Amino acid sequence: MIVSIANYFKHRDHPRNLIGETPKILKDFNLQFDKDIDIENSPILKGLEMFSEKGELETLINAVKNWREKIWTEK
């Protein structure tokens, strides 16, 4: 989901450019990603809410760090 949200951010002005698994994953998490989406409902903020009940960015940062470390140690 984090990678899909990052891809959304990259293409947020042109959501039709979202290809592959990104739109599928956003839809699976019920995250709206059309061009005119209100910032309060964007995948960025809604995704943060899924990782942190209080919307704390530090919680997300730690989750990403742990995830990345796990990927590197499994290789």
Side-chain angles (χ1 to χ4, degrees):
M1 181 174 77
I2 293 170
V3 172
S4 294
I5 291 171
N7 285 335
Y8 160 79
F9 182 77
K10 180 179 177 183
H11 298 288
R12 68 190 176 281
D13 292 330
H14 305 284
R16 290 186 180 152
N17 290 347
L18 292 172
I19 58 172
E21 291 294 309
T22 296
K24 181 184 179 307
I25 291 169
L26 294 175
K27 287 178 187 175
D28 287 348
F29 282 97
N30 295 318
L31 298 173
Q32 298 175 331
F33 56 93
D34 58 72
K35 184 177 179 183
D36 298 322
I37 192 81
D38 180 76
I39 188 71
E40 293 290 323
N41 294 312
S42 75
I44 297 164
L45 293 181
K46 290 297 181 183
L48 177 58
E49 288 175 4
M50 289 180 188
F51 279 95
S52 171
E53 291 180 21
K54 297 178 183 178
E56 296 170 337
L57 190 56
E58 185 70 24
T59 302
L60 179 60
I61 291 169
N62 288 332
V64 171
K65 284 180 181 178
N66 291 336
W67 169 73
R68 184 175 168 98
E69 184 176 317
K70 184 176 179 182
I71 288 174
W72 285 103
T73 58
E74 289 180 359
K75 289 185 176 187

